[in-house]
Amino acid sequence: AHLPRAERQAILACYWWPHRRQVVAAVRRGTASRARVFHVAVHSFTPVLGGEVRNADIGLLYDSRRPAERHFCRRWQAVLRDIAPELRVRRNYPYKGVADGLPTWLRRQFADGSYAGVELELNQALLGGKRRGEVERALARSLRELF
């Protein structure tokens, strides 16, 4: 459904622009201190699109031309496989990691040596019920192990 222009602008002003400004400022602070910034943007995806069932629980989206992102996502997938082997974790699925989004825009602003952007895509079927807590714990543990 399409929103009226005024409603869309109000949502952008209230949520989208403030979030974007805060993330960009944090990345700039990090890179200014010569630290490599790892940015994980979290999204969800519908379990069925256009009648096709998507066969993943978690997607790790990245730009395969950026070594830090590629290496990180391979490691993250392996750690998640060890922690929660029942989860179907795929790389660059259900979307490509270079689709238009904040990490893609940030990659154009910051070199691979200073910025790595990963989009964590969660199947919406996992977001309700008891599995949600299990997935949250697995993700938190995996990130602790990676960092």
Side-chain angles (χ1 to χ4, degrees):
H2 294 285
L3 294 175
R5 181 175 167 80
E7 189 174 349
R8 179 175 159 77
Q9 294 301 320
I11 291 169
L12 289 171
C14 186
Y15 301 103
W16 194 83
W17 282 111
H19 170 77
R20 186 180 184 98
R21 281 193 293 271
Q22 288 176 359
V23 170
V24 169
V27 171
R28 284 191 177 130
R29 282 192 306 275
T31 59
S33 68
R34 303 210 188 276
R36 172 178 274 152
V37 173
F38 277 88
H39 168 223
V40 177
V42 181
H43 305 273
S44 68
F45 63 92
T46 183
V48 180
L49 182 64
E52 183 178 329
V53 175
R54 291 160 146 187
N55 61 352
D57 297 313
I58 295 174
L60 304 174
L61 312 184
Y62 61 99
D63 184 338
S64 62
R65 297 168 297 183
R66 294 173 71 100
E69 293 178 17
R70 186 176 60 244
H71 178 68
F72 178 79
C73 285
R74 283 183 182 152
R75 285 181 40 232
W76 198 1
Q77 183 183 34
V79 168
L80 281 167
R81 190 176 295 130
D82 289 342
I83 291 171
E86 71 283 0
L87 290 174
R88 299 168 299 165
V89 181
R90 295 186 60 187
R91 295 189 319 270
N92 279 334
Y93 181 89
Y95 311 108
K96 298 293 181 196
V98 293
D100 189 30
L102 184 53
T104 299
W105 182 83
L106 287 166
R107 288 181 195 116
R108 291 191 294 266
Q109 313 305 311
F110 301 98
D112 183 51
S114 61
Y115 173 80
V118 173
E119 294 182 72
L120 171 64
E121 290 282 347
L122 300 171
N123 189 318
Q124 292 168 0
L126 297 176
L127 301 180
K130 69 176 184 123
R131 286 199 72 198
R132 179 181 178 150
E134 294 168 9
V135 172
E136 288 173 354
R137 286 186 292 280
L139 288 168
R141 182 175 165 198
S142 69
L143 288 168
R144 282 192 303 271
E145 288 189 24
L146 288 167
F147 291 102

